[in-house]
Amino acid sequence: MFEPRLKRFVEELFREALSAVDPERLVREAIELRDNAVLIRGIPHRIERESRLVVLALGKAAVPMARGTLSVLGGRVHRCVVVPKSDGEDYAELERCHVVPGSHPLPDAQSLRAGHALLDAVRGLNQHDLVLVLLSGGGSALAEVPRAPLDLDDVVLTTERLLKAGADIWLLNAVRRRLSDLKGGGLARAAAPARIINLIVSDVLGSPLPVIASGPTVEPETTTEDIARTLRQLDVWFDLPETVRAILEEPEKSSLRLGNVLQSVVLADAAVLARAAVEACRARGLPAVLCGTRYTGEASQFGRFWATLARSVREERLPWAPPVALVAAGELTVTVRGDGRGGRNTEMALAAALAVTGARDITIASLASDGDDGTSGAAGAVVDTGTVDALRVLGLDARDALHRNDSATALAAVGALVVTGLTGTNVNDLYLAIVDEAR
């Protein structure tokens, strides 16, 4: 009864855009096996008869990436470890792999087991061996080996405090790298002198390699910002364990070159997803404009901005005339103040719904490519100019829900949630604003 008018249309666009960032296909297309070499995007890496080929997959796309790799390399793989999110996924096709699911967004004992399994898999390798590392978003939590003298509880508490404070992925992973023996090139150092190739599905805007999954097999970057000062500004510094604060106050060592990392290839990212959404709109006869692929900031603030832009198109025909779809991508954050159910995408959508109330013919969507938006149980939501009125009919206050971080509960009541289940990929979030011609 209350479902937004263009919700089914948006869901169709989303499915098509996701097909462009399918990890299994992308990996399969990137790898070629010859008698004496593995080719990655046409670049050969020599393997001898005695060379051991090791496959390590870490992240929310670990299973399809491993599946694609094994379909090409087959029985040539000597050892395979896969670390996906613990979600009950079927691993039957990975019977040759050691599958060690981890926890997300907070690491737990499973994540600790996964981290040690990755390190164990590369011990004792030599310069003739080749390690193919398949990285995707979520890897920072899924596998962990805390740096001494820290324990897992220290890492969990730190991660939890930063997430609730709305820390962005750059800050979050800069901290994680400092607290881990696995991250910041730690896995690559453990694998030396074996050669390493990275195939990456990026969930970080701009795809900076040291930030994706906290860079376990790429050269770490030296953080120039004063992390301690930044955490004080977020008002979380004194919530962190004393041992964590001591490590974060240490001068960071200059980055050491990882001579055993031969090639790193980003197969897909948010920009690929957004461009695919633009093409999906145009294929359906709807003009579309790509408005950027690196949006960050508070979800509710961005929702108001995105709605204001859509209203300008609707009411002033600027900077584009309707009908048109505005398309963008990014990664927003939420500063948690309430105890409701939701995520950054449902929060953005509800804020946008409030901002388009009173306008006409505007539909807005905010969708997580992995299908997993916070605690919402959904990928995100689709709202339109009638969403807030529909909530009011049910006796629900949109502003109150937003204030309590209960956006998913409210949007579920009016059929606005987009539930996909886990998609098997993870390249961050897609934003749409569809502005119709006046009816």
Side-chain angles (χ1 to χ4, degrees), residues 153-230:
D153 289 341
D154 294 323
V155 176
V156 171
L157 177 61
T158 300
T159 306
E160 185 175 39
R161 292 292 188 270
L162 291 178
L163 287 171
K164 286 187 175 181
D168 63 28
I169 193 65
W170 294 76
L171 176 60
L172 183 60
N173 283 3
V175 171
R176 283 165 157 166
R177 288 196 300 273
R178 299 283 292 274
L179 307 182
S180 176
D181 280 340
L182 186 71
K183 301 171 172 59
L187 182 58
R189 289 189 291 272
R195 298 161 295 153
I196 290 178
I197 300 165
N198 295 304
L199 292 178
I200 300 167
V201 173
S202 171
D203 70 330
V204 182
L205 307 183
S207 299
L209 300 186
V211 183
I212 303 164
S214 297
T217 49
V218 301
E219 292 183 17
E221 63 177 1
T222 300
T223 306
T224 56
E225 69 174 315
D226 185 336
I227 290 179
R229 182 175 62 186
T230 303

Side-chain angles (χ1 to χ4, degrees), residues 66-420:
R67 199 161 49 224
T69 300
L70 294 174
S71 71
V72 178
L73 299 181
R76 189 61 180 82
V77 175
H78 172 75
R79 188 180 302 156
C80 174
V81 176
V82 180
V83 181
K85 183 177 178 180
S86 179
D87 53 32
E89 190 170 356
D90 183 8
Y91 311 127
E93 296 178 59
L94 300 178
E95 56 187 15
R96 285 178 290 169
C97 298
H98 180 35
V99 181
V100 193
S103 174
H104 186 278
L106 296 175
D108 66 3
Q110 292 185 111
S111 304
L112 194 60
R113 286 193 291 272
H116 284 292
L118 292 171
L119 289 176
D120 290 344
V122 299
R123 288 198 173 96
L125 299 180
N126 62 49
Q127 68 271 21
H128 301 294
D129 300 325
L130 189 64
V131 183
L132 188 58
V133 181
L134 314 172
L135 290 175
S136 55
S140 295
L142 295 175
E144 183 58 277
V145 179
R147 168 185 167 182
L150 303 179
D151 60 23
L152 182 62
D153 289 341
D154 294 323
V155 176
V156 171
L157 177 61
T158 300
T159 306
E160 185 175 39
R161 292 292 188 270
L162 291 178
L163 287 171
K164 286 187 175 181
D168 63 28
I169 193 65
W170 294 76
L171 176 60
L172 183 60
N173 283 3
V175 171
R176 283 165 157 166
R177 288 196 300 273
R178 299 283 292 274
L179 307 182
S180 176
D181 280 340
L182 186 71
K183 301 171 172 59
L187 182 58
R189 289 189 291 272
R195 298 161 295 153
I196 290 178
I197 300 165
N198 295 304
L199 292 178
I200 300 167
V201 173
S202 171
D203 70 330
V204 182
L205 307 183
S207 299
L209 300 186
V211 183
I212 303 164
S214 297
T217 49
V218 301
E219 292 183 17
E221 63 177 1
T222 300
T223 306
T224 56
E225 69 174 315
D226 185 336
I227 290 179
R229 182 175 62 186
T230 303
L231 295 179
R232 285 187 178 94
Q233 291 171 346
L234 280 178
D235 199 27
V236 296
W237 177 251
F238 292 105
D239 293 336
L240 306 183
E242 185 176 349
T243 48
V244 169
R245 284 184 276 139
I247 288 175
L248 295 178
E249 286 185 314
E250 292 176 1
E252 190 167 12
K253 297 177 182 178
S254 298
S255 298
L256 299 176
R257 180 168 176 78
L258 296 174
N260 61 329
V261 179
L262 306 184
Q263 186 182 4
S264 296
V265 178
V266 176
L267 300 173
D269 58 13
V272 173
L273 178 69
R275 287 194 294 267
V278 167
E279 293 306 313
C281 290
R282 291 173 178 171
R284 290 161 175 77
L286 175 62
V289 179
L290 183 58
C291 299
T293 59
R294 298 192 186 187
Y295 286 103
T296 60
E298 277 285 330
S300 59
Q301 293 177 9
F302 180 78
R304 288 189 286 271
F305 158 76
W306 197 236
T308 300
L309 181 59
R311 289 192 74 142
S312 176
V313 173
R314 167 74 277 148
E315 295 162 7
E316 302 174 42
R317 304 178 71 82
L318 291 173
W320 304 280
V324 66
L326 313 182
V327 181
E331 181 177 27
L332 307 174
T333 54
V334 175
T335 301
V336 179
R337 297 184 176 89
D339 57 359
R341 181 171 68 93
R344 61 190 186 235
N345 289 287
T346 56
E347 184 125 339
M348 180 279 202
L350 186 56
L354 281 161
V356 297
T357 301
R360 294 184 59 191
D361 306 309
I362 296 173
T363 299
I364 288 177
S366 186
L367 303 162
S369 62
D370 62 358
D372 186 18
D373 179 39
T375 61
S376 69
V382 180
V383 298
D384 60 21
T385 52
T387 297
V388 172
D389 288 339
L391 287 168
R392 192 176 296 117
V393 168
L394 295 176
L396 299 174
D397 186 327
R399 291 188 188 280
D400 178 65
L402 196 60
H403 178 73
R404 294 184 293 105
N405 300 118
D406 201 26
S407 52
T409 301
L411 293 173
V414 291
L417 294 185
V418 174
V419 180
T420 61

